[in-house]
Amino acid sequence: MFETSLLILFILLFLYISWRMLDWAIVLVVLFLPVYVIRFSLGPVPSTLLEIMLGAVIVMWGLRVVRERLRTKACPAIIPWRWMLLAWVGAGVIAVIISPDLRGALGLWKAYLVEPTLFFLVFVNVIKTKKQIQMVLWAIGASIVLIGFVAMLQYLGIVDIPGGYGLEVPARATSVFPFPTAVGKLLGPALGLFLGLFLVDRRWRQGSLWQTVREHTFVVGVLVFGLMALLFSVSRGALVGLLAATVFISFFSQWKKLIWAGLIVLVLGGLLVPQIRDNVTSVFDASDVSADVHRVMWKGAARIIKDHPIVGTGLASFPVVYADYKEASHTEFFPNPDQLILSLWIEMGLLGLLVFAWIMIRYFQVAIRALPIDRALAVGLMAAMVVLLVHGMVDTPYFKNDLAVQFWTLAGIVVVVSRLGQSKAEISSPQPKSLPTKKD
């Protein structure tokens, strides 16, 4: 009863904030992405706290648009990437229609496609100033610190690790999530963003290394807590993605040689430590259970695509159809193939895969145009997607409530930064002291 009352109070407070300060509501959504784990039902309809927050932001913005429309007789909304958004949601409609699980498909379509893209539209219409972007970046960083802090408490044994993951060797922290892979999926792109902010910031040219670190205390803290979370959760895919992002960032940093030297030392050091070396080589010699399961699952996924190459099998279909394509020796069932391209192709068909590629191309094009506006932030935004794409080779870092919203939040930042090209002031290096005003 107490938990229910607290939940209702939070929702009412968030509704008030959404009505009075919509930019603050957006920041809170970004900060509290993990609250999708708080699940409940609204009558017969299952929902999450994140979904309620998204709904409040979207509805309040819609009411403002309608009010302005009635007042000025003109539509005040900005709709960037409209054809891509329509194609993305439209591919989802087809995926719902052909799905063998209509109820599940509608839920995924709403949670992974409709709500995140609507949030993207709200974001690009409400977030307009540099201070507002700084606050969004601060929210992303604060969320990383919180997740990393809880993972550290679990690693130290102060907080229990749920689901038996603490009994694995090595133990795998889950932080605020029910399973450890959720940590790397959410934190990987965000850490790529902050690594870009840190390594490409022009203020590196001024003062000593220690002075630079002190000036970037918040960013350094985010990176430290985030890396701890990845290590304690043993998020190998996210770590490899972050390694690839570091290589990408080095080409835009004046410290390229130093970064490459550090990477070489890191790789050689890892190969010299037996536990790390065995953990890496086991992935390639099939002695790693997780890698072996993934390989078998990808073979089954490839057979599904071979039989359904154009439209796939629909959203929420993989757990249903995989039973007919899996190898008899394996009993594992998963919600998706744990590989981004395979998941997109099976769940949303060839059209969904092509539209996603279109979104990626457009994202990098806009980010490249933003380089003269804020080099560090533009590189960080591209590095975030490098992490996602590399991690996506061994996992599916999109098809989850928080991941879809994070993806479109990054896209929203790219669009907003590109609109600020006339200003010479930089946006990056977020600090808690950079607070937005109450007006939107």
Side-chain angles (χ1 to χ4, degrees):
M1 183 64 182
F2 174 75
E3 290 82 0
T4 303
S5 300
L6 195 62
L7 181 63
I8 293 173
L9 180 62
F10 178 86
I11 292 173
L12 291 175
L13 178 61
F14 186 79
L15 286 171
Y16 174 78
I17 294 173
S18 300
W19 177 247
R20 295 300 302 267
M21 297 177 292
L22 194 53
D23 55 347
W24 271 93
I26 290 172
V27 168
L28 289 175
V29 168
V30 175
L31 176 63
F32 291 123
L33 287 180
V35 298
Y36 79 91
V37 300
I38 303 176
R39 300 177 181 273
F40 46 85
S41 295
L42 299 175
V45 181
S47 186
T48 70
L49 183 54
L50 177 61
E51 193 168 35
I52 296 298
M53 295 174 70
L54 288 170
V57 168
I58 293 166
V59 169
M60 293 304 178
W61 174 70
L63 292 175
R64 291 188 178 196
V65 170
V66 171
R67 183 180 62 183
E68 191 65 22
R69 170 77 174 183
L70 294 174
R71 182 182 302 171
T72 63
K73 306 299 182 183
C75 181
I78 301 170
I79 308 179
W81 302 5
R82 65 182 65 192
W83 295 115
M84 282 194 303
L85 297 182
L86 287 173
W88 180 241
V89 176
V93 172
I94 298 172
V96 169
I97 294 172
I98 67 172
S99 174
D101 180 6
L102 181 60
R103 178 184 172 87
L106 283 171
L108 298 189
W109 181 70
K110 174 172 62 73
Y112 299 166
L113 279 71
V114 177
E115 291 170 349
T117 51
L118 287 175
F119 181 74
F120 165 77
L121 292 179
V122 177
F123 189 99
V124 298
N125 279 273
V126 174
I127 303 300
K128 301 175 181 178
T129 69
K130 295 177 178 62
K131 285 187 176 181
Q132 287 174 323
I133 293 179
Q134 285 178 331
M135 201 59 188
V136 171
L137 295 175
W138 180 85
I140 295 173
S143 182
I144 294 174
V145 171
L146 175 62
I147 293 170
F149 181 72
V150 176
M152 180 183 69
L153 294 180
Q154 289 179 331
Y155 181 78
L156 296 175
I158 299 173
V159 175
D160 291 335
I161 301 176
Y165 295 107
L167 302 177
E168 295 186 9
V169 181
R172 302 185 66 188
T174 64
S175 187
V176 298
F177 302 101
F179 48 90
T181 55
V183 176
K185 288 179 181 180
L186 183 65
L187 263 58
L191 285 174
L193 168 62
F194 275 84
L195 196 62
L197 290 175
F198 183 63
L199 293 178
V200 187
D201 197 307
R202 292 173 181 174
R203 280 174 287 182
W204 269 103
R205 299 188 178 96
Q206 302 173 4
S208 64
L209 175 61
W210 174 240
Q211 180 182 349
T212 304
V213 171
R214 284 190 291 114
E215 290 178 354
H216 294 73
T217 304
F218 178 69
V219 177
V220 171
V222 168
L223 293 173
V224 169
F225 276 94
L227 286 172
M228 284 196 307
L230 295 187
L231 292 172
F232 296 156
S233 62
V234 196
S235 299
R236 292 180 293 184
L239 286 168
V240 172
L242 195 60
L243 185 66
T246 304
V247 174
F248 173 81
I249 292 168
S250 69
F251 293 103
F252 298 89
S253 174
Q254 68 164 347
W255 301 99
K256 178 181 177 180
K257 293 181 179 179
L258 182 61
I259 294 171
W260 274 89
L263 290 174
I264 292 172
V265 170
L266 182 64
V267 171
L268 292 177
L271 293 177
L272 292 175
V273 177
Q275 184 177 0
I276 298 177
R277 183 179 64 248
D278 294 342
N279 200 11
V280 173
T281 56
S282 65
V283 176
F284 300 97
D285 62 15
S287 62
D288 182 84
V289 175
S290 175
D292 183 53
V293 169
H294 276 77
R295 278 192 289 269
V296 172
M297 184 167 55
W298 292 342
K299 290 179 181 178
R303 289 192 284 269
I304 296 174
I305 292 173
K306 183 178 179 181
D307 287 350
H308 307 274
I310 305 301
V311 297
T313 54
L315 284 169
S317 66
F318 186 76
V320 179
V321 301
Y322 182 63
D324 297 328
Y325 291 90
K326 72 180 184 68
E327 294 186 9
S329 60
H330 281 254
T331 59
E332 290 83 5
F333 285 89
F334 299 87
N336 57 66
D338 270 359
Q339 209 277 350
L340 185 58
I341 295 175
L342 294 177
S343 296
L344 285 165
W345 203 334
I346 291 172
E347 298 274 311
M348 295 186 63
L350 186 59
L351 175 60
L353 179 62
L354 293 176
V355 174
F356 187 83
W358 184 12
I359 295 170
M360 284 287 93
I361 292 171
R362 187 64 179 275
Y363 180 97
F364 278 95
Q365 286 176 337
V366 177
I368 290 172
R369 289 203 299 266
L371 283 171
I373 304 168
D374 191 314
R375 185 177 178 84
L377 181 54
V379 172
L381 289 166
M382 288 188 285
M385 285 302 164
V386 170
V387 177
L388 184 144
L389 293 173
V390 173
H391 191 182
M393 299 306 295
V394 294
D395 213 326
T396 310
Y398 180 88
F399 287 102
K400 202 156 75 67
N401 306 62
D402 54 337
L403 304 181
V405 177
Q406 183 194 62
F407 177 90
W408 286 104
T409 298
L410 294 172
I413 297 174
V414 164
V415 171
V416 174
V417 172
S418 68
R419 292 205 310 247
L420 296 173
Q422 301 302 318
S423 174
K424 295 182 180 180
E426 291 194 341
I427 303 164
S428 35
S429 296
Q431 299 294 339
K433 63 183 180 181
S434 301
L435 300 176
T437 61
K438 289 189 177 182
K439 66 179 182 179
D440 298 325

